[in-house]
Each structure stands twice: as structure tokens, then as C-alpha cells.
């Protein structure tokens, strides 16, 4: 049998192409997935800390000030590197136990997903804090 008549001719090229595709897919999952998880963890930590700071920044004996709480939360998130348009602060209630809820959106550039026309990954996380003061 001659080399031209071999039934296995060209199969190594197909196997190599499949191996490269699977390897790149795995690398994309590890690298971009890790970047997304890191962004989510940072967004959650920033949202929780900003909510706590908004509550802790209030004067103890004065009435709760929602505007001051919003400003404190936004300032804390800005120190953590979050842009002003990527933070939402909601204050519910002004009575005995007001709640501050902070939602942070974080954007990260993708490394491998750019090949699939996904240049940026977006994650969102929220944190909340309630004022509890008992004399």
C-alpha cells in the first residue's frame, strides 16, 4: 500500500486542531473565569464595606441623614476604585432602623473572550447595613 492510499492520511492535522481548540477553551475558562470571580469578590466586598461605612458615618445622637449616608457610601466606593456611575445607594426608612443598600457594578476586560467579541465582563454585587443603636 502506498502513502497516498493510506486511510489515516490527514487525521493528525484534525486531531491537532481539536487539541488546540480544547486547550484554548480551557485557558479561556481558567483565565477569564478567574478574572470574573475576582471582580465579583471585589464588588461584593466593596458594596458591603460601603454600606457599613454609610451607617457608621452617621452621628450617634442626631437623626439619620440619608444624603450623608449616600455621600459616605459613594466616597468609600470611589476609594476602592469604583466609578461614580457604577454604584447605586438606596436608603429605606428613616425611623428607628434605616437600611442602606449599596449595589456595585464592576467591569473587567476579558483576555480570551475578546476572540468571541466579548471585550468586557460585567459583574454586580450588593451589600446592606442597618442602623442599630440602643442606648
Amino acid at each position: 500500500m502506498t502513502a497516498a492510499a493510506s486511510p489515516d492520511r490527514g487525521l493528525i492535522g484534525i486531531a491537532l486542531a481539536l487539541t488546540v481548540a480544547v486547550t484554548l477553551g480551557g485557558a479561556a475558562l481558567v483565565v477569564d473565569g478567574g478574572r470574573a470571580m475576582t471582580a465579583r469578590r471585589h464588588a461584593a466586598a466593596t458594596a458591603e464595606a460601603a454600606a457599613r461605612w454609610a451607617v457608621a458615618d452617621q452621628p450617634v445622637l442626631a437623626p439619620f441623614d440619608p444624603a450623608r449616608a449616600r455621600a459616605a457610601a459613594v466616597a468609600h466606593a470611589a476609594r476602592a476604585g469604583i466609578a461614580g456611575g457604577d454604584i447605586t445607594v438606596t436608603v429605606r426608612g428613616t425611623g428607628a432602623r434605616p437600611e442602606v443598600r449599596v449595589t456595585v457594578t464592576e467591569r473587567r476586560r476579558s483576555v480570551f473572550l475578546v476572540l468571541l467579541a466579548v471585550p468586557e465582563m460585567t459583574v454586580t454585587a450588593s451589600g446592606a447595613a442597618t442602623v442599630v443603636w440602643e442606648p
Side-chain angles (χ1 to χ4, degrees):
M1 190 179 276
T2 64
S6 174
D8 294 334
R9 184 168 174 88
L11 290 181
I12 191 73
I14 294 172
L16 183 62
L18 287 174
T19 302
V20 168
V22 168
T23 303
L24 283 176
L29 182 63
V30 169
V31 173
D32 285 335
R35 289 176 61 81
M37 287 174 46
T38 300
R40 170 93 168 99
R41 187 171 47 244
H42 183 257
T46 302
E48 290 169 5
R52 287 192 305 268
W53 183 251
V55 168
D57 189 50
Q58 297 291 318
V60 175
L61 298 176
F64 184 79
D65 183 3
R68 182 176 178 153
R70 282 187 186 88
V74 169
H76 183 78
R79 284 191 300 273
I82 304 297
D86 289 338
I87 180 171
T88 304
V89 181
T90 306
V91 179
R92 288 192 286 203
T94 56
R97 292 183 184 257
E99 179 188 74
V100 177
R101 178 166 295 279
V102 177
T103 303
V104 170
T105 301
E106 188 154 336
R107 302 169 199 314
R108 295 277 171 102
R109 289 183 10 191
S110 60
V111 176
F112 284 97
L113 291 178
V114 171
L115 301 173
L116 299 175
V118 181
E120 185 177 76
M121 298 176 287
T122 304
V123 296
T124 303
S126 295
T130 303
V131 175
V132 176
W133 184 80
E134 297 183 19

